[in-house]
Amino acid sequence: MTDAKQTLDEILGDARVAMVTIVAGGGQLESRPMTVQEYDNGVLRFLTTNDTTLGTLADGTTVNAAVVNSNEWVSVAGRSRVTSDVELKRRMWSLPNNVFMDRDAEDPSVVVFELVAKSASFWDTPGTPGTLLGLIKGAISDDAPDLGEQHDVEL
């Protein structure tokens, strides 16, 4: 495993919220915040219902998720997959899902929306103090500021 792939897996493994963007009807882009239920080997999983845009997408729809974790930004591009696998839903289920969805994992209207990643880009920065220091240093010298590193990963 490359260092970049390992870093990407660590970032996405800690992800809690993603802004998920899909190509909806008429080619319009639609984005919505979603709770990341699970990340496993290049697959981000979310719970939704089958009456939402995400829940009604056919497998293979182009999708992107943007994730921010403190000093790290990730953009994950891939294809969607929708499943109603009850065991998978049970494994990911938690009390907040009961409250937010007002139903349980066995409810047939609950589905798992998966983003099967094909590629990802991530930016790892030195954090706000480090970024500010880098900008100040760059402003008073001819040195380019160190604003972090960007990596592309094919999955």
Side-chain angles (χ1 to χ4, degrees), residues 6 13 24 31 78 84 98 101 109 127 142 148:
Q6 185 173 359
S31 299
S84 56
N98 274 355
M101 293 186 159
S109 68
D142 289 334

Side-chain angles (χ1 to χ4, degrees), residues 20-146:
V20 177
T21 303
I22 59 162
V23 180
Q28 293 289 94
L29 294 176
E30 290 185 14
S31 299
R32 69 201 31 80
M34 298 287 294
T35 300
V36 178
Q37 300 294 325
E38 182 176 273
Y39 172 74
D40 181 36
N41 198 28
V43 179
L44 282 164
R45 292 188 177 98
F46 310 90
L47 288 167
T48 190
T49 57
N50 61 11
D51 60 348
T52 63
T53 304
L54 288 181
T56 58
L57 285 174
D59 288 346
T61 301
T62 300
V63 62
N64 184 275
V67 174
V68 177
N69 283 339
S70 65
N71 302 323
E72 302 151 329
W73 290 265
V74 180
S75 175
V76 181
R79 297 285 181 187
S80 67
R81 188 166 57 202
V82 178
T83 179
S84 56
D85 182 305
V86 175
E87 289 305 314
L88 182 58
K89 293 189 295 182
R90 283 186 191 134
R91 185 178 79 221
M92 295 187 309
W93 203 261
S94 64
L95 180 60
N97 296 122
N98 274 355
V99 174
F100 182 73
M101 293 186 159
D102 193 28
R103 54 196 95 195
D104 62 26
E106 287 79 20
D107 189 309
S109 68
V110 174
V111 294
V112 178
F113 179 86
E114 297 179 324
L115 187 166
V116 181
K118 301 293 181 200
S119 65
S121 292
F122 69 91
W123 296 261
D124 190 4
T125 71
T128 303
T131 299
L132 289 174
L133 186 60
L135 288 171
I136 292 168
K137 180 181 173 186
I140 61 175
S141 73
D142 289 334
D143 296 337
D146 177 12

